[in-house]
């Protein structure tokens, strides 16, 4: 069965068509600038040329229409007709406390996801628009929702309750949810395979270091703590997000800069992180070039980033009373050996010895520590689309 995996944002839509039996990617692409001028679809069938076509996309329904046209195109399509798409898997950001696993999308599920909209006002409405667009164009194809938050629903109360009045949890469900769950789940499973141990007997710390970044403690196959919280703003310093700060700073800055809470939030989400610290870029490739050229601002931002990751790793070693594997994933974790090395320099107390030759390899699944190292450190490319396809297949084939 071929599964169409959709990751729908407010103005973009990423897609992959995956054969669920062979797990082969048949085609992939992205629609950009949906609802804006200059929208375009980038489409690439596996083994074929990447094509980029400008085409008006006033809404997500039109974007999905173009995706389906590309997938069934006579010359470059991955399939002959829409009948060859057996199911659609949607990445959904926030399932609140309602969803601890993936689910077949029904009217009740859509209602329940809508009820989580105020927990993820930027993401959930866009995800729901993607579902509606697919329902309109493929009304008889079953759909599955795979939630970013679901994997973390195993966290114990001591990890998810904030030091706030408990009534805010009871009334508004203010608590730690955590994100990147699909990635943390996939990478921690692969880490157990690389260690050659059963998943339910391994303690792994997964460092998902991309533009958004989070760390997760996975004990015996269950997420027991993670650095993102009620929103994806908490935790590590990210590309443009501040991560943890003293909440008192918000009032101070609002008064000094004469801005309101929404503007402060915009600063914390869009203008902070390594971009804010360095004033160079939010992108680690740019920072790396600048740092290698000796630009102090870039070195400072990267140093602070690595320090914060190392501190989270230390706290999760405490939370799990030890660790068997530390896994790096996502854009920076998979590709930036300098960042991995800087973080691991803090971890000598875990008996970690990095093999620099292995660490210099990027983008492949590899253990980068020496055989003598007391704790294994790994690079594991994440594959959220594959997880979504697997979960979708498992639910629709029943
Ligand atoms: P993500 O959000 O997972 O796409 O990760 C984005 C971040 O990963 C950016 O800071 C990029 O600079 C970094 N990144 C992505 N690909 C590479 C690469 N090939 N080499 C170095 N850094 C990369």
């Amino acid at each position: 069965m071929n599964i169409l995996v959709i990751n729908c944002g407010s103005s973009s839509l990423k897609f992959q068509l995956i054969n669920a039996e062979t797990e082969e990617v048949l085609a992939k692409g992205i629609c950009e600038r949906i609802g804006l001028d200059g929208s375009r679809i980038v489409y690439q069938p596996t083994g074929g040329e990447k094509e980029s076509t400008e085409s008006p996309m006033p809404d997500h329904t039109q974007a999905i229409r173009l995706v389906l046209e590309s997938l069934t195109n006579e010359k470059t399509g991955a399939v002959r007709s829409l009948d060859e798409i057996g199911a659609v898997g949607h990445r959904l950001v926030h399932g609140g406390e309602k969803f601890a696993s993936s689910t077949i999308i029904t009217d009740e599920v859509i209602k329940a996801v809508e009820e989580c909209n105020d927990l993820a006002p930027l993401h959930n409405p866009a995800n729901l628009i993607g579902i509606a667009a697919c329902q309109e164009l493929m009304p008889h194809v079953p759909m599955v929702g795979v939630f970013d938050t679901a994997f973390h629903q195993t966290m114990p109360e001591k990890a998810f309750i904030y030091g706030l009045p408990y009534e805010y949890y009871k009334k508004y469900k203010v608590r730690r949810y955590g994100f990147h769950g699909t990635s943390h789940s996939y990478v921690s499973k692969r880490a157990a395979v690389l260690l050659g141990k059963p998943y339910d007997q391994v303690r792994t710390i997964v460092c998902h270091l991309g533009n958004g970044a989070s760390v997760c403690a996975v004990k015996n196959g269950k997420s027991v703590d993670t650095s993102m919280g009620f929103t994806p703003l908490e935790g590590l310093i990210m590309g443009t997000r501040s991560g943890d700060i003293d909440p008192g700073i918000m009032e101070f800055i609002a008064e000094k800069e004469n801005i309101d809470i929404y503007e402060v939030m915009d600063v914390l989400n869009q203008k902070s992180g390594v971009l804010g610290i360095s004033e160079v870029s939010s992108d680690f490739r740019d920072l790396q070039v600048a740092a290698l050229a000796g630009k102090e601002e870039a070195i400072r931002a990267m140093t602070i980033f690595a320090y914060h990751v190392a501190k989270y790793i230390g706290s999760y070693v405490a939370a799990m009373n030890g660790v068997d594997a530390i896994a790096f994933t996502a854009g920076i974790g998979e590709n930036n050996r300098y960042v991995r090395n800087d973080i691991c320099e803090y971890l000598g107390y875990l008996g970690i010895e990095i093999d620099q030759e292995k660490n210099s390899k990027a983008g492949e699944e590899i253990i980068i520590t020496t055989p003598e190292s007391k704790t294994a450190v790994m690079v594991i490319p994440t594959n959220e689309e594959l997880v979504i396809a697997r979960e979708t297949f498992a639910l629709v084939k029943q």
Side-chain angles (χ1 to χ4, degrees):
M1 180 192 289
N2 296 326
I3 313 254
L4 177 59
V5 176
I6 300 271
N7 181 353
C8 196
S10 54
S11 66
S12 71
L13 185 155
K14 290 190 211 142
F15 62 94
Q16 279 194 13
L17 187 67
I18 297 178
N19 178 317
E21 282 93 2
T22 62
E23 300 198 336
E24 186 194 353
V25 177
L26 305 176
K28 62 181 174 183
I30 183 168
C31 299
E32 290 170 322
R33 301 183 60 80
I34 300 167
L36 304 167
D37 287 343
S39 44
R40 64 186 187 130
I41 176 167
V42 179
Y43 169 78
Q44 185 170 29
T46 298
E49 293 281 303
K50 190 190 266 190
E51 11 171 293
S52 175
T53 315
E54 283 220 13
S55 181
M57 291 178 217
D59 54 33
H60 288 74
T61 308
Q62 180 59 14
I64 296 205
R65 197 172 279 129
L66 291 172
V67 170
L68 298 178
E69 274 174 27
S70 299
L71 289 171
T72 54
N73 181 286
E74 228 176 280
K75 286 201 187 109
T76 54
V79 289
R80 279 184 301 269
S81 81
L82 289 186
D83 298 340
E84 292 178 43
I85 299 177
V88 181
H90 290 270
R91 174 189 179 218
L92 302 181
V93 169
H94 216 309
E97 288 189 329
K98 293 195 178 86
F99 297 101
S101 58
S102 304
T103 181
I104 298 256
I105 293 172
T106 61
D107 290 347
E108 290 79 62
V109 167
I110 292 174
K111 220 166 134 246
V113 175
E114 274 168 359
E115 281 163 15
C116 298
N117 274 4
D118 61 349
L119 297 175
L122 293 179
H123 294 99
N124 271 24
N127 297 161
L128 287 165
I129 289 170
I131 292 175
C134 287
Q135 276 179 331
E136 192 182 327
L137 298 171
M138 296 182 279
H140 304 298
V141 176
M143 293 198 269
V144 167
V146 179
F147 297 90
D148 256 21
T149 48
F151 181 61
H152 302 299
Q153 281 295 305
T154 50
M155 278 191 291
E157 193 184 52
K158 65 184 175 188
F160 73 69
I161 291 291
Y162 288 110
L164 289 169
Y166 195 71
E167 62 170 307
Y168 294 159
Y169 171 58
K170 285 197 289 191
K171 280 204 289 196
Y172 310 122
K173 295 286 172 212
V174 174
R175 51 160 286 177
R176 175 182 310 286
Y177 288 100
F179 299 87
H180 293 143
T182 317
S183 176
H184 289 303
S185 161
Y186 173 81
V187 172
S188 57
K189 280 192 190 115
R190 289 302 309 163
V193 172
L194 256 66
L195 273 187
K197 287 192 177 163
Y199 189 44
D200 60 4
Q201 290 172 29
V202 178
R203 293 162 301 180
T204 306
I205 296 173
V206 180
C207 306
H208 178 111
L209 309 181
N211 193 34
S214 70
V215 187
C216 180
V218 186
K219 186 176 185 183
N220 304 337
K222 295 198 166 89
S223 167
V224 293
D225 210 338
T226 191
S227 59
M228 282 180 168
F230 179 64
T231 73
L233 185 54
E234 193 185 349
L236 301 177
I237 287 172
M238 308 181 210
T240 62
R241 289 179 224 152
S242 65
D244 302 330
I245 59 163
D246 175 350
I249 295 170
M250 297 171 75
E251 185 192 10
F252 182 84
I253 294 297
E255 275 179 15
K256 290 285 178 202
E257 294 275 308
N258 195 22
I259 54 179
D260 64 24
I261 184 69
Y262 302 105
E263 290 167 302
V264 174
M265 290 307 292
D266 189 52
V267 172
L268 298 185
N269 274 303
Q270 311 285 351
K271 299 178 182 149
S272 300
V274 291
L275 169 70
I277 296 170
S278 69
E279 298 177 335
V280 171
S281 173
S282 65
D283 191 301
F284 269 70
R285 278 169 288 208
D286 302 336
L287 288 174
Q288 193 64 63
V289 171
L292 289 173
K295 194 166 170 56
E296 242 173 68
E297 293 83 350
I299 296 170
R300 176 186 301 129
M302 295 181 77
T303 304
I304 297 170
F305 176 83
Y307 177 65
H308 280 248
V309 178
K311 280 209 300 186
Y312 262 102
I313 291 173
S315 69
Y316 290 163
V317 173
M320 296 194 290
N321 193 21
V323 62
D324 303 302
I326 296 170
F328 288 104
T329 194
I332 302 158
E334 290 166 28
N335 296 300
N336 195 315
R337 67 188 159 111
Y338 302 101
V339 171
R340 289 194 297 260
N341 197 53
D342 286 354
I343 295 166
C344 289
E345 290 210 327
Y346 292 99
L347 306 179
Y349 67 96
L350 294 172
I352 284 174
E353 278 178 41
I354 298 292
D355 178 329
Q356 287 305 344
E357 201 193 315
K358 288 182 182 150
N359 187 36
S360 67
K361 301 207 169 112
E364 61 178 272
E365 227 173 55
I366 186 170
I367 295 180
I368 58 169
T369 34
T370 65
E372 291 76 37
S373 182
K374 294 211 171 57
T375 307
V377 179
M378 309 162 170
V379 175
I380 299 179
T382 195
N383 197 337
E384 292 166 279
E385 291 77 13
L386 179 60
V387 178
I388 294 171
R390 280 181 183 163
E391 302 254 315
T392 303
F393 187 49
L395 284 168
V396 299
K397 76 175 177 194
Q398 285 169 6

